[in-house]
Every structure is written in structure tokens, then in C-alpha cells.
Amino acid sequence: MPELLAPAGDFEKLEFAFLYGADAVYFGGQNFSLRANAKNFSLEDMKKATEYAHSLGKKVYVTVNIVFHDSDFDGLDDYLKYLDSINIDGIIASDIAVIKRVQELRLHFSVTLSTQASLLNTRAVKFWKNLGVTRVVLAREASREEIKKVKDTGIEVETFIHGAMCTSFSGKCVLSNYMTLRDSNRGGCAQVCRWNFTVENNPDLTITPKDLNMIPFIKEEIDMGIDSFKIEGRMRSIYYVATVIDCYRRMIDAAQNNTLTPGLERYYLNILNRCANRESTPQFYDKLPGVNEQYFNGREEISNQDFLGLVVDYDEKNNMAIVESRNYFKVGDVVEFFGPNMETFTYKINTIYNDLDEEIEVSRHPKTLVKLPIPQILEKNSMMRLKVFDKSEFIV
């Protein structure tokens, strides 16, 4: 079964990723990582995260994947030695100098070649393998045939299955450098490709690719023997991380049990398309992207308010869920609860109590606690969302 690899922008997201079914996470430290605007992990945080992951039988990978300039090497040796001392499972790197340094220092963690290396061919695989790389993250531009050829070399293969795409070739964009003096290849990307441009009086020209999703081809990639399915999103919310991991966990498990149907795929696709604010598509896997895989003339990236609440406790004696509100909801709304170790279920809100046990009609203030009388036991950190899709409609 392939590893399901989740992003972890901070410790809370790491916990949710593991809770909702991730086998491993990747995160960056406060240096040498391509997500400089994420909270990222201090040295102590990384030690704590590694110990926590290993207590669950899970893995952690640390991104050391910037494109290095001479000045960037200051402190690298000590950093790599520290990562080795806390027993991380591996690093993700793209610069040959970093990979060579791991070998020279005789460190014990594995090295995964980052997608920043834009790997697309078997000759490059052999080159990197000779340097000690044990796994490669293929360029997001890799086709089905190219993935198969690389997999046939015997090296471990990690592929992106969900998340944002770069308008350039696997993250080699320099628009951010040019327009904002923020180096995208050293962690400072300003995401210029998400901007609107005015050209010949057209104020809505964009160069934004739609997000990646590989839902239609999950079973095919499992059968291909892909070793790790990677999800992008270290700067996304806990709701995004939980939803995406939950959907792919269930799809992977269903594929392994031969119960994954086209109807289920359509259901999970609809769920996933609502938890992000851009449309998604398989992009390069089965064809070259065209007009339907990118936004050219205007787009809307409006975040919905589907995430209504987080279950923080459950009072079994009184059959009462204690929910931390995240968005507006009211008596009469039809919602659903989802979470690990449970089947998603529908619930109509008939009564809401505030923290003084007074009945209220509406919960409108984020992060306030309310109580909902629900007969079904809910685990802590289950989530409540607006019910939009009826799963039974997708099951034929």
C-alpha cells in the first residue's frame, strides 16, 4: 500500500494529518525550506514532532529544498547533524551540494529528491541514485508513461496527487523575484501567477493553473506501484488537511479492498472541490494541459463557509457534543459530521446551547463553544461541515 504523505505547516496540522489517516508528514524548519511564509518548525518543534510521529508508528520528512546560494550554506552542517540526532526519517532536497554533504557527513536518514529537481527521465534517476538518493519526487509535469518508466528503475517513487500547481516548470518560476524581489526558489514566492493582470483593457487576465487532483487515477497509480502519494498544502487550514487526507485515505483503502467505485470517486471529488477555492484537474498525467486546466480570463477564488465547527469534547452522560464554532450556523441547518474511525453522518440542528446552557438560535462567533444534543458518540477533533452532497446519490 502506498504511503499517504501529508503537509504539516505547524504542529497542530501535523496532529490532524496523522489523526485523519496520513502515514507520514513533511515539514520545513525555519531555514533551508521553500515555504518561508509558513509557521514552520523550530529545532525543538522538530524533535517533538519526530518523537510524536514515531510513537504512532508514522514517519517525518524535513524539507531542505531551497536552491542554495553560497551564503545559504552557513549553518547547514550543524542543521543536518541535528536532524540526524533526533532521528528524522529523511530529508527532501534538490541541491546536489546538500545531497553530497549528507553522504560526506555519513548521516543516517534517507534522502528524497525534491520535485524542484524537475525529474522526468530514467538517466537522471540513475545519476541521483548513485549519489545516495533512495526516493524521487517526480516533476509535476510527469506523464503516465514517464512515471511508469521511472518506477521500472526500482527506485522509490513519490508523486503529487493533490494541491496547487506552479505556472512554471515544477517551481522554477522567477516572476516573484522580478516583481517583488522575493526569491521563489529560496522560500519567498509571492505567487505572482495568482495575480490579475490588465492587458489591452482586459483587467482579468491570469496565468493561473487549476489545482491538481488525481482522483480518477488513484487505483491506476496504486497498481503501478507508486510508493508515496504526496499532498501539497503546508500553508492550508486544518479543515483542508483533514478533508483531503480523509478523502484520499478512504479512497486508497477502498482501492485496496476492491470497493472503490466511479460513484465513490465522484463523491470524493465533489467534497474535495469544495474544501479549496480553485477548481482541480489531473493536469499532466493523461494529457498535456489545455484551456480547461488553467484560468485565463478571470476566476473566483472565494472560500466557502462549509467548515462549521470542531468537536472539542463529547459528554456521553448527556449525549452532548461540545463544538468550537468556526462559521455561522443556526437551528434548522442540515450538517454532517466526519472524522477518523467513523462514518460520515447527517444531522439536523434542532437545539443549540451556549456555554451557559442557554438555548440560542444562531452560533455566529468563531471560536466560541456551543453544545449540540447528538446521540451518536463523537471523537475529539471530529468536524462539522455544511451538508452539500448526499453520498447515497453517488452510489449506484
Side-chain angles (χ1 to χ4, degrees):
M1 181 182 293
E3 172 186 86
L4 182 56
L5 178 58
D10 57 33
F11 197 85
E12 181 186 36
K13 293 171 187 175
L14 176 144
E15 290 180 299
F16 274 92
F18 285 143
L19 181 64
Y20 277 79
D23 301 302
V25 296
Y26 65 98
F27 54 76
Q30 295 176 346
N31 295 298
F32 312 117
S33 173
L34 274 177
R35 286 293 180 268
N37 294 324
K39 288 183 179 179
N40 293 319
F41 285 65
S42 67
L43 296 180
E44 187 58 36
D45 287 338
M46 287 190 281
K47 181 180 180 181
K48 177 183 173 184
T50 303
E51 291 173 348
Y52 177 70
H54 290 172
S55 74
L56 300 174
K58 314 258 184 174
K59 295 182 178 181
V60 298
Y61 303 99
V62 177
T63 55
V64 190
N65 57 347
I66 64 170
V67 175
F68 278 72
H69 296 235
D70 278 339
S71 60
D72 294 319
F73 286 99
D74 293 343
L76 178 64
D77 280 10
D78 288 340
Y79 184 67
L80 294 174
K81 290 176 183 177
Y82 177 78
L83 295 180
D84 193 46
S85 74
I86 63 174
N87 297 315
I88 67 162
D89 295 282
I91 65 167
I92 303 171
S94 62
D95 198 306
I96 190 171
V98 174
I99 296 169
K100 283 288 291 180
R101 197 67 190 129
V102 171
Q103 304 306 313
E104 291 165 354
L105 293 171
R106 298 185 179 181
L107 304 179
H108 300 93
F109 50 72
S110 67
V111 178
T112 295
L113 184 70
S114 170
T115 190
Q116 290 294 115
S118 305
L119 184 67
L120 288 169
N121 66 83
T122 57
R123 294 188 183 191
V125 168
K126 294 171 184 175
F127 170 81
W128 291 110
K129 193 173 182 179
N130 286 336
L131 285 179
V133 168
T134 57
R135 178 188 288 184
V136 295
V137 187
L138 295 182
R140 300 182 210 197
E141 295 77 22
S143 68
R144 171 193 285 113
E145 290 72 24
E146 288 164 334
I147 295 172
K148 285 181 179 178
K149 287 180 180 178
V150 170
K151 181 58 191 170
D152 286 344
T153 66
I155 200 166
E156 288 188 18
V157 173
E158 184 176 305
T159 62
F160 278 95
I161 59 169
H162 203 89
M165 293 287 291
C166 184
T167 195
S168 185
F169 193 91
S170 277
K172 286 182 163 46
C173 183
V174 294
L175 282 174
S176 181
N177 306 51
Y178 179 75
M179 301 185 77
T180 69
L181 298 180
R182 288 167 52 181
D183 191 339
S184 57
N185 298 305
R186 295 162 92 182
C189 183
Q191 297 192 326
V192 175
C193 60
R194 311 296 183 206
W195 296 5
N196 285 353
F197 296 89
T198 299
V199 178
E200 294 182 354
N201 297 319
N202 178 356
D204 292 318
L205 181 68
T206 65
I207 54 174
T208 303
K210 295 179 180 179
D211 281 2
L212 170 72
N213 88 65
M214 286 295 293
I215 289 174
F217 302 105
I218 285 297
K219 181 66 165 65
E220 183 176 323
E221 287 206 312
I222 291 174
D223 293 341
M224 198 184 295
I226 300 303
D227 298 279
S228 182
F229 285 154
K230 188 171 192 172
I231 292 165
E232 181 275 339
R234 278 186 277 162
M235 296 177 69
R236 304 272 194 166
S237 68
I238 59 168
Y239 176 68
Y240 178 90
V241 171
T243 302
V244 175
I245 294 297
D246 184 64
C247 287
Y248 278 103
R249 175 79 279 154
R250 292 174 189 268
M251 281 190 287
I252 292 169
D253 292 346
Q256 292 292 104
N257 297 328
N258 295 314
T259 58
L260 182 60
T261 65
L264 276 177
E265 289 179 355
R266 289 194 299 273
Y267 170 71
Y268 289 122
L269 176 60
N270 277 281
I271 295 294
L272 289 169
N273 278 340
R274 284 193 64 87
C275 78
N277 55 6
R278 283 188 295 273
E279 297 174 59
S280 59
T281 170
Q283 292 291 356
F284 288 84
Y285 183 79
D286 63 329
K287 64 178 181 179
L288 287 176
V291 66
N292 294 321
E293 283 72 43
Q294 181 158 328
Y295 297 103
F296 288 99
N297 290 301
R299 71 191 190 282
E300 290 188 3
E301 292 191 7
I302 300 173
S303 297
N304 60 47
Q305 282 76 50
D306 285 3
F307 180 28
L308 302 180
L310 179 69
V311 177
V312 297
D313 203 356
Y314 185 84
D315 179 357
E316 292 189 41
K317 181 179 179 181
N318 297 301
N319 294 329
M320 196 76 69
I322 294 86
V323 176
E324 183 183 81
S325 299
R326 291 303 175 98
N327 276 299
Y328 174 99
F329 58 89
K330 64 185 186 305
V331 170
D333 283 349
V334 177
V335 302
E336 61 184 14
F337 287 88
F338 74 101
N341 308 312
M342 62 174 281
E343 289 298 319
T344 300
F345 71 91
T346 300
Y347 173 74
K348 183 176 180 179
I349 299 175
N350 294 311
T351 310
I352 305 174
Y353 298 100
N354 63 17
D355 57 352
L356 299 176
D357 291 327
E358 300 167 333
E359 283 197 36
I360 57 176
E361 291 294 313
V362 176
S363 176
R364 63 175 81 250
H365 302 296
K367 295 297 185 81
T368 57
L369 294 180
V370 298
K371 299 177 182 179
L372 301 175
I374 300 175
Q376 183 164 332
I377 295 175
L378 289 167
E379 288 188 26
K380 182 180 178 181
N381 291 326
S382 301
M383 294 186 178
M384 181 174 79
R385 67 187 173 207
L386 184 68
K387 182 176 176 61
V388 179
F389 306 108
D390 190 334
K391 188 174 182 180
S392 63
E393 295 177 1
F394 296 87
I395 310 300
V396 179

